[in-house]
Amino acid sequence: MDAPWLVRGGRALTASAPFGVMGIVNLTPDSFYDGGAHAGPHAGLTHALHLLDQGADILDLGAESSRPGAAALEPAEELERLLPVLTGLRQRASGAVISVDTYHAATAAAALEQGAAIINDISACAFDPGLLDVLVQYKPGYVLMHSQGRPDRMQRDPRYDDVRREVLEFFERELARLTAAGLPEDHIALDPGIGFGKTLEHNLALLSHPEDWLGFGRPVLMGLSMKSVFGGLLGLSPSQRGAATQTATALLWSRGVFWHRVHDVAAARQSLALAAAFAPHASPAD
């Protein structure tokens, strides 16, 4: 199986692609941003196809909310929300590259059987240890994300002695564990987990030093779209964070971040295209 971060069907990227955009498809009734506007099979599929039309390179389907304070969901209910949309995409857009945002082993296995190419896991296989076995068996693309605690309690009182050092050590440790278990390193992308068990100060410390994670030589996926960092920094409500998200996306690309997970794919591609056009030298490498 090819590493999914650069090579797949549909809108497959090449090593010369200047950036990659992952479109968020929330299938939950309690999303912090869209409030469940795309919950339900028809609405979810319609939105996913719309993001493909906007130019999404990858679609990230999420059926369990990971917003701060969100309650856990059983895999059966997660799959009830997820599979109709995944099946619909296989029928309507067979070349689409699909990521599934889950930490459940059963959900991941079912999604990969139905053609998903990537597992986007907020837990680093910590919430359901069986997920590691699924990753080793199927060898999909995998997003290794840092989080301090589960969503229902991660923002209660996050603390670090040195957030940059601790996130760096987390990636070192977990990359070694995943590759030793049998997941190829070139299938792994890194996500520092902005807003997952971190205060505004923690988030800004990480965002101001992307070189920390780029040093691993793996693609970095930035999930910053519409997040509370813009509320804390600029006093913006979720519905007002579009321009800030676009600006931050372009700035982070200029610092070497290749992949961007966003709600508004068209706006992100515009910002990234401008950043690439204005770059004085060659585009940042994957």
Side-chain angles (χ1 to χ4, degrees):
M1 179 182 291
D2 293 322
W5 297 109
L6 284 179
V7 183
R8 280 285 167 167
R11 293 184 54 83
L13 302 182
T14 68
S16 62
F19 51 76
V21 178
M22 175 184 278
I24 300 169
V25 183
N26 282 321
L27 304 176
T28 65
D30 54 349
S31 165
F32 84 93
Y33 175 64
D34 59 40
H38 308 123
H42 177 73
L45 177 59
T46 299
H47 185 59
L49 293 171
H50 176 62
L51 294 184
L52 280 178
D53 288 342
Q54 288 187 346
D57 300 297
I58 297 172
L59 293 175
D60 191 42
L61 309 184
E64 176 178 338
S65 177
S66 57
R67 61 177 175 77
L73 198 68
E74 291 298 321
E77 188 174 356
E78 187 181 26
L79 285 168
E80 187 177 340
R81 297 174 180 177
L82 175 68
L83 289 181
V85 178
L86 182 53
T87 300
L89 284 169
R90 294 273 67 89
Q91 295 171 346
R92 299 277 299 276
S94 60
V97 182
I98 307 299
S99 166
V100 172
D101 187 349
T102 186
Y103 57 81
H104 292 292
T107 302
L112 292 169
E113 285 288 342
Q114 292 299 315
I118 296 166
I119 298 300
N120 183 6
D121 170 28
I122 65 171
S123 81
C125 298
F127 298 170
D128 183 349
L131 179 58
L132 181 57
D133 295 330
V134 173
L135 298 177
V136 172
Q137 177 184 352
Y138 289 90
K139 294 180 172 52
Y142 179 67
V143 181
L144 172 61
M145 195 193 85
H146 178 274
S147 177
Q148 191 181 87
R150 289 178 176 268
D152 61 346
R153 57 182 181 269
M154 65 187 180
Q155 290 302 106
R156 290 181 184 176
D157 187 23
R159 297 188 183 189
Y160 300 85
D161 291 330
D162 181 334
V163 68
R164 287 177 58 197
R165 175 179 57 78
E166 291 176 48
V167 171
L168 190 67
E169 291 174 349
F170 164 83
F171 283 140
E172 290 175 343
R173 180 179 67 252
E174 296 303 320
L175 275 170
R177 183 169 73 100
L178 289 165
T179 55
L183 182 65
E185 184 174 328
D186 66 356
H187 285 217
I188 303 171
L190 308 181
D191 180 349
I194 300 302
F196 282 80
K198 299 171 183 74
T199 65
L200 176 61
E201 291 72 21
H202 296 145
N203 290 323
L204 293 177
L206 294 171
L207 289 167
S208 61
H209 291 280
E211 68 275 8
D212 289 350
W213 338 301
L214 292 168
F216 288 100
R218 301 305 312 132
V220 171
L221 171 68
M222 180 53 62
L224 192 58
S225 183
M226 313 297 182
K227 285 195 170 175
S228 61
V229 64
F230 300 122
L233 192 61
L234 303 173
L236 301 173
S237 68
S239 64
Q240 298 173 319
R241 297 171 188 171
T245 294
Q246 294 162 39
T247 302
T249 297
L251 288 170
L252 286 163
W253 179 88
S254 73
R255 301 285 301 279
V257 176
F258 185 89
W259 282 100
H260 301 267
R261 181 179 181 272
V262 299
H263 295 87
D264 189 337
V265 169
R269 292 196 71 90
Q270 288 176 0
S271 297
L272 289 163
L274 285 172
F278 293 172
H281 303 296
S283 302
D286 168 41

